[in-house]
Amino acid sequence: METEPVTFNPHLWARNKARLLVFNQFDALLARDAEGGFLPWLATSWEVSGDGLAYTLELREDVTFHDGEKFDAAAVKANFDQLLAPGYNPSAVAVQLRSFDRAEVVAPHTVKLVLKEPDGLFLDFLSSPYAGQVSPKSLRTAQDLKAGGPGAVGTGPFILDRYVQGQEVRYRRNPAYRWAPPNAAHSGPAHLAEVTYRFLPEAAVRVGALTSGQVHVIEGVPATEAALIKGDPALRLRTALNSGTAFSYYFSLSHPPFDDRRVREAFRHAVDVDAVLKPVYQGTATRAWSIVASCSPFYDATLERTYGGDEAEAGALLDAAGWSERDAEGFRVKDGKRLTVRLVSSAPFVRDRRDVLAQAVQAQVKQRAGIGLRLQTVEQGAAERAFAEDRYEIFENSRGDADAGAALNLILPEGAAINRTRFADEKVDRWLAEAAASSDPAERRELYAEVQRAVAAEHAIVLPLYVPADQIAAGAEVKGLGSAPVTGTPGSAYDVSLGT
């Protein structure tokens, strides 16, 4: 793996790449199919009340947690109660569970989930890692519940056996497993007796480990190595676009210079996105035009080729905004101050050559518009402090949520968990709320289109760059590798086997 999870607790997952580990150890209440629909998993069926305020789930009666505890309605209630505990996961409470009120045990294997208002995203929540079921005993006794690890016990096809921070995590097969979702390739226990994930952040080291036979599979295959993989008959390469939101630069509107829309537009015009993507990703990256990924059913294609990339327009906008002078090094200045902006990146989330891409953007905005871009990659705690204290002008983000609406509600509404642009617009907040409350795909599609046009075209608060993709390379002897439905992220090891 390219990156190491921040936590192994499914309730607190924060990175798309954590999915392949989460669903080794934990099962969700529902699963997704390839068309974006919902399937039974730990819940065998579900019924939604006519007013959309109650979801009654019938649960499997044959499921056991790794610690021997029985899975039942009381366990589901314990998980939801934990999610609502103060300080446990406030961002999930504010977004994914904003409409949730309470869980009620109706019968030993029947649970009712009551909402305060209709929520079209609630089924998506029930199929996400957030709904990964943790043993109630773990919830009470795990030494470090937030970090997860061996103390956080699930029902999944593998049991977390050992974790060495910075090095590897090892899972062993759960011999009792009999409750895979219906779209799994087999039933019963996993094929593999054991699977070890090593954390190798350097791309060359990962590729070398694969080609030398030290590992069977690598994820995070860099574009620079794709041709080598494809040219080796003993190896296989798989690529899948991620759903959710595109990898984008978001501008902070709370202070200069990006409180001026003209400067935001100038920065976008200063970047020839296709030109910076090509050398970094060797022509394999999918250009983004919207905050929503192009593989999402909610993507608004009308935004394509409607803005950006005009060097002359960048200069005219900066002149109009008062940044008409230049210093000896060619940077724009106003009132004796150089036009410099800071891009703050959290080190655990830097992947997919995004540091190299930032350097390419840095060179372009300097050359084409005289804008200074200062790149700051810091540890997660320092990044969170910088965001909290408003010590940045750009932050980068992509989300791999199965439903793009979940990501939009985290990033755009006023006061949202990762609204680091400090953007506030009543119309956008209303559209997002209406879309979240609707179960009509066509209505949601039109509302999300309005949102995308507002943030990308009308207010120019974002520079979309590319649609993330997961690339996995493996030896030809590895069978059963695949991507998770809808998200496009690597699947768990449940269906994986080794054979000739």
Side-chain angles (χ1 to χ4, degrees):
M1 292 187 66
E2 181 178 9
T3 55
E4 182 174 2
V6 175
T7 175
F8 289 90
N9 182 330
H11 297 164
L12 301 170
W13 79 289
R15 286 188 297 183
N16 214 23
K17 290 197 176 190
R19 282 178 181 265
L20 79 165
L21 299 179
V22 166
F23 287 136
N24 279 336
Q25 190 180 358
F26 302 92
D27 299 315
L29 294 167
L30 304 181
R32 300 298 293 265
D33 63 23
E35 289 71 43
F38 297 92
L39 298 170
W41 198 350
L42 293 183
T44 59
S45 65
W46 59 96
E47 182 178 339
V48 185
S49 63
D51 59 9
L53 296 180
Y55 290 66
T56 302
L57 278 61
E58 299 296 331
L59 307 175
R60 292 189 68 118
E61 299 183 17
D62 59 345
V63 177
T64 305
F65 288 98
H66 300 156
D67 59 6
E69 295 277 300
K70 292 292 291 182
F71 169 76
D72 55 15
V76 175
K77 182 181 185 316
N79 274 261
F80 274 92
D81 290 347
Q82 181 64 51
L83 281 160
L84 295 179
Y88 183 62
N89 189 344
S91 64
V93 171
V95 178
Q96 285 87 356
L97 290 173
R98 66 190 180 284
S99 303
F100 181 75
D101 184 23
R102 65 189 185 277
E104 298 177 356
V105 175
V106 177
H109 290 90
T110 305
V111 64
K112 180 187 288 188
L113 306 175
V114 182
L115 307 186
K116 293 173 283 190
E117 59 187 12
D119 188 347
L121 290 168
F122 194 61
L123 287 177
D124 178 69
F125 174 85
L126 298 181
S127 68
S128 75
Y130 290 120
Q133 295 297 290
V134 181
S135 162
K137 182 178 179 181
S138 287
L139 296 177
R140 296 190 304 268
T141 64
Q143 289 187 346
D144 189 352
L145 181 61
K146 284 198 169 186
V153 174
T155 63
F158 291 94
I159 299 167
L160 199 158
D161 188 53
R162 187 177 73 137
Y163 170 50
V164 181
Q165 188 172 10
Q167 297 182 36
E168 66 181 31
V169 59
R170 181 182 301 169
Y171 296 90
R172 55 184 168 85
R173 179 168 51 206
N174 175 9
Y177 195 74
R178 298 290 189 280
W179 42 86
N183 58 343
H186 80 289
S187 59
H191 297 306
L192 298 174
E194 182 181 286
V195 56
T196 300
Y197 295 82
R198 295 171 59 191
F199 307 120
L200 303 175
E202 294 295 329
V205 176
R206 287 196 306 280
V207 174
L210 177 66
T211 56
S212 64
Q214 297 177 55
V215 300
H216 295 96
V217 185
I218 61 171
E219 63 86 33
V221 179
T224 51
E225 304 292 342
L228 182 151
I229 302 294
K230 291 178 181 178
D232 190 330
L235 301 176
R236 302 288 184 270
L237 181 69
R238 297 171 178 269
T239 302
L241 291 176
N242 294 168
S243 63
T245 56
F247 177 70
S248 306
Y249 286 173
Y250 294 82
F251 306 122
S252 173
L253 280 58
S254 66
H255 59 268
F258 289 138
D259 58 340
D260 188 329
R261 174 181 165 175
R262 294 170 296 185
V263 181
R264 301 195 297 272
E265 291 185 334
F267 190 98
R268 297 201 311 188
H269 278 299
V271 182
D272 183 337
V273 175
D274 291 312
V276 295
L277 291 177
K278 186 174 182 179
V280 176
Y281 298 106
Q282 305 290 300
T284 63
T286 298
R287 164 76 186 270
W289 287 98
S290 171
I291 183 174
V292 173
S294 57
C295 54
S296 167
F298 300 124
Y299 175 64
D300 180 19
T302 66
L303 288 168
E304 293 179 4
R305 291 172 289 279
T306 59
Y307 63 85
D310 187 332
E311 182 177 350
E313 181 64 14
L317 285 164
L318 291 176
D319 287 344
W323 296 94
S324 55
E325 299 179 7
R326 292 181 183 255
D327 63 16
E329 296 180 52
F331 291 101
R332 298 263 179 170
V333 295
K334 181 169 69 172
D335 300 328
K337 184 178 180 180
R338 177 180 285 183
L339 178 53
T340 302
V341 295
R342 297 163 292 182
L343 167 60
V344 175
S345 304
S346 179
F349 292 83
V350 176
R351 61 179 178 89
D352 198 20
R353 293 173 61 82
R354 291 174 178 177
D355 52 343
V356 180
L357 176 61
Q359 293 167 17
V361 172
Q362 179 187 51
Q364 272 213 348
V365 296
K366 164 60 167 62
Q367 179 182 355
R368 291 163 59 92
I371 300 172
L373 176 59
R374 188 184 306 161
L375 308 178
Q376 300 178 353
T377 299
V378 297
E379 290 306 310
Q380 185 179 12
E384 292 297 332
R385 288 192 295 274
F387 297 143
E389 297 168 6
D390 204 19
R391 292 184 284 106
Y392 63 98
E393 284 72 48
I394 300 175
F395 81 96
E396 57 186 20
N397 185 266
S398 65
R399 294 279 306 180
D401 303 83
D403 190 307
L408 297 178
N409 277 285
L410 274 170
I411 298 169
L412 296 177
E414 185 175 10
I418 54 174
N419 180 348
R420 296 176 182 142
T421 61
R422 309 299 203 271
F423 173 70
D425 184 278
E426 291 182 359
K427 290 186 301 182
V428 169
D429 289 359
R430 185 177 71 253
W431 291 330
L432 288 171
E434 291 174 357
S438 174
S439 57
D440 182 346
E443 180 184 14
R444 296 183 70 211
R445 189 177 302 113
E446 182 52 40
L447 288 166
Y448 288 140
E450 295 280 10
V451 170
Q452 291 168 75
R453 294 167 198 152
V455 300
E458 180 183 353
H459 296 287
I461 69 167
V462 60
L463 170 60
L465 292 166
Y466 72 95
V467 181
D470 273 297
Q471 294 201 115
I472 308 172
E477 74 279 9
V478 180
K479 312 298 182 184
L481 282 176
S483 300
V486 184
T487 66
T489 52
S492 74
Y494 174 65
D495 283 324
V496 176
S497 63
L498 289 171
T500 56

